[in-house]
Amino acid sequence: MKDEKKSGTTMTGASILWECLEREGVEHVFGYPGGAILPAYDALKHSKIHHILVRHEQGATHMADGFARAGGGVGVAVATSGPGATNMVTGIATAMLDSSPIVCITGQVGSKLIGSDAFQETDITGVTLPITKHNYLVTHASEVAQTIREAFYVARSGRPGPVLVDITKDAQQTSCVFDWEAAQPQLPGYRPDLSPAPKEYEEALKLIHNAKRPVILAGHGIIISGAMNEVRDFAERAGIPVALTLLGLGAFPASHPLNLGMMGMHGEAWVNHAIQDADLLIALGMRFDDRVTGNLKNYAPNAKKIHVEIDPAEINKNVKVDVALVGDLREVLHELQPRIESPDRSEWLDSIDRLKGDAAVRDIQNLPDTGHLYAAHVINDIWRETREADTVVVTDVGQHQMWEAQYYKHEKPRTLITSGGLGTMGFALPAAIGVKVSRPEAEVWVIVGDGGFQMTMCELATIVQENLKINIAIINNGYLGMVRQWQEFFYERNYSATPLLNPDFAKLAEAYGIKAATVHSRADVVPTVRAAREHNGPMLINFHVEQEDTVYPMVAAGSALHEMIRRPSPIVETAEDE
């Protein structure tokens, strides 16, 4: 009924914009108004879409990103021209590196003013060309409908990613006949649907059946394609252990016997050793990022490699592979799985268990309580308290991000939302807002460092304005922790520009009307986490943790994957020793 009423009527470009967003299934947008996008904001009063007013346009993009990652749909962010649009750049790049489908809509100066250095004019399509999957400049109302439809199609199809639509002010103000059906995407040069050849399947099967020491490398693409069950069935049938990337955490249950844990720079030692000792790597929906491989010259030197990936550009980009299966991961595994033999790989799995060696002894969770409060304690306690709930953790970037990956055991997909590729500090708080809007029934926790929190903490106001129940755990060590760690290891402990003078985060939160607490001791962690969960509203907890704690293991830049700085042997000391 709605289509019949609207199609064929004359509407402004601004009204067509909201109409198209509604028809794409959009119920929420995250934005900040300004002069060049004002016609669109004026037309918003006729739309059912809920607009969430952010405090900074970067926050809008992270919210759209978090919304998309948590729910699997497309997130939408809106901003004006010039600085409004350029403030979105970091969020767009973040979404691009992590294949997150968002559509960013920006206002632009009038089409006759383009190129004149008009007030708040920026060539945002030129600026974002390298960090978008595609972008558009719309100068006529008649182009709005088709552009929006194409933008959503491109953002969500194939390898997902961000798309920007820049609409001039006159294109929003002028009118044309709206025709939804005529605006159907054509895109003859864009064909993301790919299928491997039968010969490639045969070659892959031959490698899998001949392998004695195979390892599956599980990446973010598993979650994007919804192939979690297929990967589990494949691993179980073939008896192959599974190592995960940071963004792949949750794609394979943490408690599964074949789950090795996270690989790479801060992956566990046995995981990296297993990869280096393997004779076959089966990469599923991952892109051989440098944080995963270490020095490429020495990466898995004896292993054949199979790469299943939907983006042909990723094949042989970083690591040359023996067999490439380009296509949707879910469909590829549907084809492979019934033809997989089930050999006995117990010898290989037993050898990996032996690789674990003394790692458990070195783990801080297994050391006596000394009275010190470490970030790993906090994260592990949050996991223990929330693991039975429908919990989504949103992290920022730095040491706490790696500790979260190590000590929060993710059983399900889309329960860890983090900036993996770009490593964007300031991501967590706004992204959590998008997560909560996307999944209001979920228990949402932000785990963030004291440095990253201050980059986007203005969005506390958005949390209050939208009445969102989000719990925030600040891992406060008084440093830009990961940078300090690199200075400790590689710059002779010259802590240049890394100590932080922080505000009282609890009082800051209270100024926004948010309940808050400050924790200094391990004994207070669990009671405070429980208080946050029971509170009917957002709560911020400022955890003062050990300042010079270090993330182990660590593969230094330029080192091979097996050349790790291991956790030191335990030396038991108490807080009273200091």
Side-chain angles (χ1 to χ4, degrees):
M1 293 296 292
K2 184 180 180 62
D3 290 3
E4 293 175 2
K5 181 179 178 181
K6 293 285 186 178
S7 288
T9 60
T10 299
M11 302 167 63
T12 65
S15 294
I16 292 173
L17 168 64
W18 295 115
E19 180 67 22
C20 289
L21 292 179
E22 282 191 37
R23 292 175 185 238
E24 291 291 347
V26 176
E27 296 180 352
H28 308 274
V29 299
F30 308 91
Y32 200 102
I37 196 70
L38 267 184
Y41 272 83
D42 186 57
L44 179 60
K45 61 189 174 188
H46 301 297
S47 173
K48 297 177 183 176
I49 292 174
H50 176 56
H51 178 272
I52 295 170
L53 177 63
V54 305
R55 296 304 183 270
H56 191 282
E57 293 86 349
Q58 180 185 345
T61 55
H62 292 326
M63 291 177 204
D65 191 344
F67 180 94
R69 297 193 203 205
V74 178
V76 179
V78 182
T80 191
S81 62
T86 56
N87 282 345
M88 291 178 130
V89 168
T90 298
I92 294 171
T94 303
M96 184 68 178
L97 267 290
D98 289 349
S99 305
S100 184
I102 66 172
V103 171
C104 296
I105 297 165
T106 51
Q108 183 56 277
V109 301
S111 55
K112 292 182 179 178
L113 293 175
I114 289 178
S116 70
D117 292 338
F119 177 67
Q120 292 194 332
E121 181 196 2
T122 296
D123 176 11
I124 193 62
T125 53
V127 170
T128 59
L129 182 64
I131 56 170
T132 51
K133 192 174 175 185
H134 195 53
N135 65 23
Y136 300 84
L137 172 61
V138 177
T139 57
H140 298 281
S142 60
E143 300 169 354
V144 172
Q146 183 160 2
T147 304
I148 294 298
R149 293 197 69 174
E150 286 186 6
F152 274 78
Y153 179 74
V154 171
R156 62 163 67 106
S157 59
R159 179 179 180 176
V163 177
L164 182 134
V165 180
D166 194 31
I167 311 176
T168 61
K169 195 168 186 177
D170 51 309
Q172 300 169 53
Q173 293 170 319
T174 53
S175 300
C176 67
V177 175
F178 171 60
D179 190 337
W180 173 256
E181 294 302 325
Q184 188 171 358
Q186 301 298 322
L187 299 170
Y190 177 69
R191 301 179 186 279
D193 296 329
L194 302 165
S195 299
K199 180 183 177 183
E200 293 167 333
Y201 280 115
E202 294 300 326
E203 292 174 350
L205 287 166
K206 184 177 179 182
L207 290 180
I208 293 169
H209 292 151
N210 289 337
K212 303 295 184 187
R213 303 184 306 279
V215 174
I216 292 172
L217 310 180
H220 191 201
I222 296 171
I223 297 173
I224 293 173
S225 68
M228 290 73 68
N229 291 338
E230 286 78 5
V231 171
R232 187 197 59 217
D233 292 346
F234 175 79
E236 290 176 347
R237 186 178 178 92
I240 301 177
V242 180
L244 295 106
T245 67
L246 172 63
L247 292 181
L249 294 176
F252 196 80
S255 59
H256 196 287
L258 290 173
N259 188 318
L260 292 179
M262 187 173 72
M263 67 182 103
M265 178 173 280
H266 294 295
E268 292 294 350
W270 66 81
V271 187
N272 291 340
H273 279 305
I275 291 171
Q276 292 297 82
D277 291 346
D279 62 358
L280 175 66
L281 298 182
I282 307 170
L284 305 179
M286 55 86 72
R287 58 190 177 87
F288 291 107
D289 175 77
D290 60 304
R291 288 290 175 110
V292 163
T293 63
N295 190 329
L296 287 171
K297 293 181 179 177
N298 304 307
Y299 180 64
N302 301 315
K304 299 285 187 181
K305 298 167 183 81
I306 300 171
H307 195 181
V308 184
E309 168 62 45
I310 198 164
D311 185 353
E314 292 295 341
I315 303 299
N316 295 324
K317 187 177 82 174
N318 297 324
V319 172
K320 183 173 174 54
V321 300
D322 298 277
V323 178
L325 300 174
V326 179
D328 179 77
L329 176 60
R330 201 157 169 261
E331 295 175 8
V332 170
L333 291 179
H334 270 299
E335 184 69 28
L336 276 179
Q337 200 265 355
R339 301 159 67 184
I340 293 291
E341 298 172 358
S342 302
D344 179 8
R345 301 195 194 279
S346 57
E347 185 177 345
W348 170 229
L349 297 174
D350 289 344
S351 71
I352 292 175
D353 282 340
R354 289 193 293 274
L355 286 172
K356 294 180 180 180
D358 63 350
V361 176
R362 296 168 183 244
D363 192 325
I364 193 171
Q365 299 300 332
N366 296 324
L367 298 180
D369 186 352
T370 62
H372 295 283
L373 180 59
Y374 291 95
H377 292 149
V378 174
I379 292 165
N380 195 251
D381 284 348
I382 292 175
W383 168 66
R384 291 184 182 281
E385 292 297 312
T386 63
R387 59 182 169 175
E388 300 298 330
D390 176 18
T391 306
V392 181
V393 178
V394 189
T395 79
D396 218 75
V397 172
Q399 287 182 311
H400 70 276
Q401 181 189 32
M402 296 298 110
W403 281 313
E404 198 282 349
Q406 294 175 346
Y407 292 105
Y408 200 104
K409 311 301 182 185
H410 292 274
E411 294 290 324
K412 298 178 181 177
R414 303 188 188 279
T415 58
L416 169 60
I417 308 296
T418 192
S419 171
L422 195 65
T424 305
M425 291 179 66
F427 172 83
L429 187 66
I433 294 173
V435 170
K436 190 63 179 177
V437 172
S438 176
R439 293 175 54 184
E441 77 290 350
E443 179 172 337
V444 177
W445 278 82
V446 173
I447 296 179
V448 61
D450 45 334
F453 178 70
Q454 294 183 75
M455 288 189 170
T456 53
M457 63 184 180
C458 56
E459 303 301 345
L460 288 173
T462 308
I463 290 176
V464 175
Q465 187 161 330
E466 293 296 322
N467 191 29
L468 299 173
K469 167 59 178 167
I470 295 173
N471 294 318
I472 303 160
I474 299 179
I475 308 300
N476 184 351
N477 59 11
Y479 279 105
L480 298 174
M482 189 61 87
V483 185
R484 184 210 59 76
Q485 177 170 326
W486 281 58
Q487 291 171 330
E488 176 185 347
F489 284 172
F490 312 120
Y491 294 88
E492 300 177 340
R493 301 175 73 93
N494 176 22
Y495 296 163
S496 176
T498 45
L500 287 169
L501 176 62
N502 291 326
D504 185 325
F505 291 117
K507 288 184 178 178
L508 182 75
E510 289 166 354
Y512 282 98
I514 295 175
K515 184 178 180 180
T518 300
V519 172
H520 293 273
S521 70
R522 187 174 183 185
D524 291 334
V525 173
V526 169
T528 311
V529 169
R530 290 177 179 172
R533 299 188 71 207
E534 293 168 359
H535 176 58
N536 184 28
M539 181 166 171
L540 181 149
I541 310 173
N542 181 20
F543 290 102
H544 279 273
V545 299
E546 287 296 302
Q547 288 197 304
E548 295 191 37
D549 196 6
T550 302
V551 180
Y552 295 107
M554 180 178 182
V555 179
S559 296
L561 197 57
H562 61 281
E563 297 172 339
M564 288 162 281
I565 303 171
R566 296 287 308 277
R567 291 189 179 97
S569 298
I571 299 175
V572 179
E573 62 178 29
T574 66
E576 288 71 26
D577 293 334
E578 297 183 345

